[in-house]
């Protein structure tokens, strides 16, 4: 099995989980981290190719992954403090 095919399957399963399992915010945030991890793994797989040597893109992907994780954690803590749970369906714009 090709390594890129395995990365594609893992990426699509993460996207599928984000779209269809939206009950808890923590699960959605973990799957988004999985998507970021797959992007990093695909990039590291491509770095071995001598014709693809762009280290700035790798740093940008890592920076966006760190920002996404910190914003997601802050959002999760804020919602858990206000409502006492992390169920996505109980959130409305009027409560925020």
């Amino acid at each position: 099995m090709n390594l890129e095919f395995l990365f594609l399957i893992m990426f699509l399963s993460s996207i599928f989980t984000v779209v269809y399992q939206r009950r808890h915010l923590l699960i959605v945030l973990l799957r988004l981290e999985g998507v970021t991890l797959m992007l990093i793994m695909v990039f590291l797989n491509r770095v071995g190719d001598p014709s693809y040597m762009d280290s700035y893109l790798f740093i940008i992907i890592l920076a966006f992954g760190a920002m996404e994780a910190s914003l997601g954690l802050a959002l999760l803590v804020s919602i858990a403090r206000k409502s006492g749970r992390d169920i996505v369906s109980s959130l409305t714009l009027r409560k925020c």
Side-chain angles (χ1 to χ4, degrees), residues 18 21-22 24-33 88:
V18 167
Q21 299 291 330
R22 295 181 302 203
H24 293 282
L25 186 61
L26 183 61
I27 293 173
V28 172
L29 292 174
L30 283 173
R31 287 292 98 193
L32 287 175
E33 286 297 317
V88 176

Side-chain angles (χ1 to χ4, degrees), residues 25-26 29 33 67-79:
L25 186 61
L26 183 61
L29 292 174
E33 286 297 317
M67 286 187 298
E68 181 254 333
S70 65
L71 287 175
L73 185 61
L75 179 68
L76 179 67
V77 168
S78 174
I79 289 172

Side-chain angles (χ1 to χ4, degrees), residues 54-65:
D54 189 16
S55 62
Y56 294 114
L57 182 62
F58 180 68
I59 293 171
I60 290 171
I61 290 173
L62 280 177
F64 277 114

Side-chain angles (χ1 to χ4, degrees), residues 10-96:
M10 292 170 72
F11 179 77
L12 290 177
S13 69
S14 295
I15 294 293
F16 179 77
T17 305
V18 167
V19 171
Y20 289 108
Q21 299 291 330
R22 295 181 302 203
R23 182 161 170 83
H24 293 282
L25 186 61
L26 183 61
I27 293 173
V28 172
L29 292 174
L30 283 173
R31 287 292 98 193
L32 287 175
E33 286 297 317
V35 169
T36 306
L37 181 65
M38 285 304 110
L39 286 174
I40 291 170
M41 291 180 75
V42 166
F43 182 79
L44 288 176
N45 188 28
R46 289 290 181 178
V47 168
D49 188 14
S51 64
Y52 191 79
M53 290 296 208
D54 189 16
S55 62
Y56 294 114
L57 182 62
F58 180 68
I59 293 171
I60 290 171
I61 290 173
L62 280 177
F64 277 114
M67 286 187 298
E68 181 254 333
S70 65
L71 287 175
L73 185 61
L75 179 68
L76 179 67
V77 168
S78 174
I79 289 172
R81 283 185 181 171
K82 285 190 179 212
S83 67
R85 55 186 173 190
D86 70 332
I87 297 182
V88 176
S89 62
S90 67
L91 301 175
T92 62
L93 289 176
R94 289 184 294 157
K95 290 182 182 178
C96 297

